[in-house]
Amino acid sequence: MEKLTKEALKKMSDEEIIRRAKKLAKRYCVGNGKDFKLKDFSTQPKMELGPEDKPLVKEALEQGIQELTRLQEVLYAQDRWSLLVIFQAMDAAGKDGAIKHVLSGVNPQGCHVTSFKAPSAEELDHDFLWRCLKELPERGRIGIFNRSYYEEVLVVRVHEAILRSQKLPQKLITKKIWDQRLEDIRNFEKYLDRNGTKIIKIFLHVSPEEQKLRFLDRIEDKNKNWKFSTSDIKERGYWEDYMKAYEKAIRQTSTKDSPWYVIPADNKSYARIAVASAIISALDGLNLHYPAVSEEKVAELQQIKSQLLSGES
């Protein structure tokens, strides 16, 4: 995000907002994940943000939300593409807050959020993609996955005991299973892209130090106690294992058509602007436009307009 004044932000055209959003999103877009290394991406934004920047940050987010709302309306009207945004992160990285704030202005009819918890008994009786397939967005809509099928190559990979409880035939549980699942995910996302569902994956990259501070805040603030679980602390002990799993998942599934965005999440406000920018960039890449109206339809509308103005109807 380039340094601007609040007043200058308010006067920006849609084209300028999109240009800046695409420029910011590009910083964190992995694209081809072949040479991806997580250590190359910081958990801190690439610019200093102090208390004096709060009004500017707030205005930048509001502008991004307004542009996102406009693009979503065209997506809905055109009814050709759908957009799936997948959020993955460690606990307390800010997934819920990002979804809440960034999508605050989007028409609820055009957006659907699904949060995936531990699989149910019914879900375990199907393949690992099944429960997500049911929640894919329709054409013209934005689907948000708060966690996703990627859990099967993240938490399940870190805790292989979970894999043993998934009712898979024993002969299918081999050392190749993780590469096979990542290959299946990559092919699945290619299939969706070929059928009009654009996918972007967002990894909110938080540091263990910042996570610790947020955990302490949840303990100290009685209104946030409900957010805290003892399992969160246990998972911190597997931090390095999770980082290795994320790195492998991003490396093997980030493509030009279905990219990952590794967004610095130690500063929540900045992360939300970066998330909004990534979504705006994805929507803009779909070449959206309102449906064309035939000359006959235009003539019909003008006739109806004349009738209404003349009081005939």
Side-chain angles (χ1 to χ4, degrees):
M1 183 177 65
E2 298 174 22
K3 284 285 186 179
L4 291 167
T5 65
K6 185 177 178 180
E7 291 68 28
L9 272 170
K10 287 183 176 180
K11 295 178 181 178
M12 268 189 200
S13 64
D14 292 335
E15 292 75 15
E16 180 64 11
I17 292 172
I18 289 174
R19 186 189 71 79
R20 288 178 175 272
K22 291 172 74 172
K23 183 177 180 180
L24 178 60
K26 188 177 180 180
R27 293 184 186 179
Y28 306 113
C29 183
V30 176
N32 187 333
K34 181 181 177 182
D35 299 317
F36 173 75
K37 293 180 181 179
L38 191 55
K39 66 179 180 63
D40 293 336
F41 287 77
S42 176
T43 61
Q44 292 285 345
K46 293 184 177 180
M47 62 179 295
E48 293 293 329
L49 290 172
E52 71 280 2
D53 292 307
K54 282 187 176 181
L56 182 64
V57 170
K58 182 180 178 181
E59 183 62 33
L61 181 57
E62 288 178 357
Q63 291 282 44
I65 292 170
Q66 288 177 22
E67 187 58 30
L68 178 56
T69 301
R70 185 187 71 82
L71 289 169
Q72 183 272 329
E73 183 178 282
V74 186
L75 175 78
Y76 186 82
Q78 189 181 45
D79 198 25
R80 289 291 183 271
W81 291 92
S82 59
L83 175 66
L84 175 61
V85 184
I86 293 174
F87 283 86
Q88 293 287 159
M90 296 294 286
D91 294 316
K95 296 190 306 302
D96 293 345
I99 293 170
K100 175 184 176 181
H101 286 82
V102 172
L103 297 168
S104 60
V106 174
N107 187 334
Q109 293 185 94
C111 182
H112 180 64
V113 179
T114 306
S115 294
F116 292 98
K117 307 296 183 182
S120 66
E122 179 188 19
E123 289 166 347
L124 288 173
D125 275 335
H126 293 80
D127 63 273
F128 77 91
L129 289 171
W130 180 76
R131 65 175 182 162
C132 295
L133 275 167
K134 299 188 300 176
E135 303 297 335
L136 289 173
E138 304 168 46
R139 298 193 194 282
R141 289 170 170 79
I142 298 174
I144 306 294
F145 282 2
N146 187 343
R147 300 192 187 279
S148 67
Y149 43 80
Y150 277 99
E151 293 294 284
E152 296 296 327
V153 291
L154 295 170
V155 64
V156 179
R157 187 168 190 164
V158 171
H159 300 287
E160 289 198 23
I162 298 176
L163 183 65
R164 305 289 172 180
S165 67
Q166 290 189 339
K167 302 183 180 181
L168 282 170
Q170 188 60 40
K171 72 174 186 177
L172 298 182
I173 303 177
T174 70
K175 292 181 179 179
K176 297 180 180 179
I177 192 169
W178 307 118
D179 287 334
Q180 289 170 344
R181 285 191 170 185
L182 289 168
E183 181 183 9
D184 291 337
I185 288 172
R186 191 167 59 249
N187 290 335
F188 173 63
E189 292 179 347
K190 182 184 292 185
Y191 163 80
L192 290 179
D193 183 74
R194 287 174 173 173
N195 284 273
T197 296
K198 176 69 178 177
I199 303 170
I200 62 171
K201 291 98 67 167
I202 293 174
F203 173 48
L204 294 178
H205 190 21
V206 70
S207 67
E209 295 79 15
E210 179 62 24
Q211 187 198 57
K212 177 181 177 180
L213 292 175
R214 294 180 188 179
F215 278 172
L216 289 171
D217 181 56
R218 289 180 179 184
I219 293 171
E220 293 296 325
D221 188 339
K222 292 182 179 180
N223 293 326
K224 295 181 181 179
N225 285 173
W226 64 274
K227 291 185 175 183
F228 193 80
S229 170
T230 53
S231 64
D232 295 341
I233 290 296
K234 292 180 181 178
E235 292 305 288
R236 265 180 69 84
Y238 297 95
W239 191 277
E240 291 304 318
D241 293 329
Y242 273 110
M243 293 303 104
K244 289 178 183 177
Y246 269 109
E247 182 172 87
K248 290 176 181 177
I250 295 171
R251 182 183 297 152
Q252 293 189 48
T253 63
S254 192
T255 66
K256 178 183 177 182
D257 294 323
S258 301
W260 275 94
Y261 289 86
V262 180
I263 291 177
D266 280 1
N267 184 297
K268 290 182 180 180
S269 297
Y270 182 89
R272 290 165 186 169
I273 294 173
V275 167
S277 297
I279 300 175
I280 289 170
S281 180
L283 288 172
D284 181 67
L286 300 180
N287 189 29
L288 300 174
H289 54 79
Y290 286 104
V293 179
S294 67
E295 292 182 7
E296 292 79 6
K297 184 66 176 179
V298 172
E300 180 186 351
L301 292 173
Q302 290 302 315
Q303 184 178 7
I304 294 172
K305 177 182 177 181
S306 297
Q307 290 175 357
L308 289 170
L309 291 174
S310 67
E312 294 178 18
S313 177

